[in-house]
Amino acid sequence: MAIKVILLDKQARKYITEVRKKSRRLASFLPKKGTIEIYLINSRRMKMLNKKFRGKNKSTNVLSFQKPKNFPGTKFGEVYLDPIYILKHKEDLAFMLSHGVLHILGYDHEKKNDRIKMEAKEKQLLSKLI
């Protein structure tokens, strides 16, 4: 699995090296072939995406968008991270990165059983990222 990290907003520039390092390590533990793109953005852009796609007029830590089935190409999806928001709210950047990537790979936390599976996979991945 390849993970590409792309800086969209210069306010997040100081986090790009850390996210790239963690992304390379994370990619080595993922079974599928293809690419996931990670976009580092600011809270203004995150708020716009959250409103447009989820109907929530506020910023958030991470958003994931899976590629529609039967869509051409090897890209699995896109993860948008707001590292400034994540750190301001005392959340873990590696956890949010893993969380977003797992959504792209089909993990979810809507139902209790799905949440249990996703949390177990998050713990497994985080133990390898530290």
Side-chain angles (χ1 to χ4, degrees), residues 93-104:
L93 190 56
F95 175 81
M96 288 298 145
L97 173 64
S98 300
H99 186 85
V101 168
L102 287 176
H103 275 303
I104 298 299

Side-chain angles (χ1 to χ4, degrees), residues 37-74:
E37 293 175 345
I38 308 291
Y39 294 96
L40 299 182
I41 63 175
N42 63 25
S43 293
R44 183 185 54 77
R45 190 183 304 258
M46 184 65 89
K47 181 179 178 180
M48 181 194 71
L49 290 171
N50 204 19
K51 183 176 182 181
K52 181 176 181 178
F53 293 103
R54 298 182 65 226
K56 296 184 179 191
N57 192 24
K58 61 182 183 175
S59 190
T60 191
N61 45 22
V62 61
L63 289 173
S64 298
F65 300 97
Q66 267 185 316
K67 177 182 85 168
K69 292 183 185 200
N70 301 321
F71 195 78
T74 60

Side-chain angles (χ1 to χ4, degrees), residues 1 22-32 105 121 124-125 127-129:
M1 172 75 59
K22 290 184 184 311
S23 294
R24 279 192 300 272
R25 186 130 172 86
L26 180 61
S28 70
F29 299 110
L30 301 176
K32 295 187 175 185
L105 297 177
K121 189 66 172 177
Q124 178 191 27
L125 289 175
S127 71
K128 296 176 181 182
L129 290 179

